[in-house]
Amino acid sequence: MEFQAQNPIEVADFVIDLAKKDGKYVTNLQLQKILFFLQGYSLATFGKPLMNGDFSKWKYGPVQKDVYQSFRRYGSSPIVAGALDAYYDNGKLIIKRFPMIDQNSLGNAEVFQKIKVFTNKLLNKSAWQLVNMTHNHSSWKNDYNKIMQHCANDYKENEILDCYKSNKEALND
């Protein structure tokens, strides 16, 4: 299926909005793992990544750095609003919200619907359930010492895909 890879922050805003509409909340820790498993789902289901951007190997599992920076101010508290984009245009400060992904930005309604359904499944998992799933995979375990020394390489697509596949049943997919 064809679709356009998305900005990770716009995918994050979609996840946050979907959670809020269902009366749930999401923390930055949980958001990071949801994005990681969405990437794996997309690789497995559609044969291509949902998002542009890399996932780093951190102490508590995969992290998409741009998304982390956008929401780190929340610490371990629930994220209550989408990310802001701030820039100067002709000397004037412009602040606006990032858009969320939708079927138009993806360019494929069927892909969007499948992403939405899988995201809802992920929102039913706690941050620590998702952390444990990533920690139990060889792509994290084998790099543990490098991760603790902050010198591990980013996840490769095949590692993300394999971690998703290894946890597919636990993810209710």
Side-chain angles (χ1 to χ4, degrees):
M1 288 184 193
E2 286 300 313
F3 64 91
Q4 297 295 317
Q6 303 292 296
N7 177 321
I9 295 172
E10 294 172 9
V11 178
D13 283 352
F14 161 76
V15 172
I16 294 161
D17 186 66
L18 195 61
K20 285 169 63 175
K21 285 179 180 174
D22 202 24
K24 299 175 184 171
Y25 66 88
V26 62
T27 63
N28 201 353
L29 181 66
Q30 183 184 25
L31 178 62
Q32 294 295 330
K33 307 325 158 227
I34 288 172
L35 294 176
F36 179 79
F37 281 116
L38 280 172
Q39 189 80 322
Y41 172 81
S42 182
L43 290 165
T45 307
F46 310 118
K48 63 186 282 187
L50 173 63
M51 293 165 269
N52 300 314
D54 297 320
F55 284 87
S56 298
K57 295 177 182 179
W58 284 17
K59 181 178 180 179
Y60 294 110
V63 170
Q64 206 297 318
K65 289 181 184 177
D66 293 335
V67 173
Y68 175 80
Q69 291 299 327
S70 294
F71 297 106
R72 71 183 185 156
R73 70 183 177 278
Y74 290 101
S76 61
S77 299
I79 298 170
V80 297
L84 295 176
D85 187 19
Y87 57 93
Y88 283 98
D89 185 15
N90 293 325
K92 183 179 178 185
L93 178 62
I94 307 294
I95 300 174
K96 64 178 188 170
R97 293 224 176 270
F98 275 90
M100 291 181 287
I101 66 164
D102 59 20
Q103 64 189 30
N104 294 325
S105 67
L106 278 168
N108 189 315
E110 184 179 349
V111 169
F112 178 71
Q113 190 58 37
K114 287 181 178 191
I115 294 294
K116 187 175 178 181
V117 167
F118 187 62
T119 302
N120 275 316
K121 290 178 183 180
L122 292 171
L123 286 166
N124 289 322
K125 301 291 182 189
S126 74
W128 293 107
Q129 286 174 306
L130 297 170
V131 167
N132 288 335
M133 287 180 204
T134 63
H135 280 191
N136 288 328
H137 189 262
S138 61
S139 61
W140 192 89
K141 286 195 300 191
N142 293 348
D143 279 345
Y144 176 80
N145 289 331
K146 288 181 180 179
I147 291 167
M148 293 304 130
Q149 296 170 10
H150 308 285
C151 63
N153 291 327
D154 288 344
Y155 281 92
K156 296 179 184 117
E157 280 188 6
N158 65 315
E159 291 176 315
I160 297 170
L161 175 60
D162 191 58
C163 187
Y164 163 77
K165 287 181 176 178
S166 296
N167 288 289
K168 189 174 179 177
E169 188 175 314
L171 293 167
N172 299 322
D173 191 36

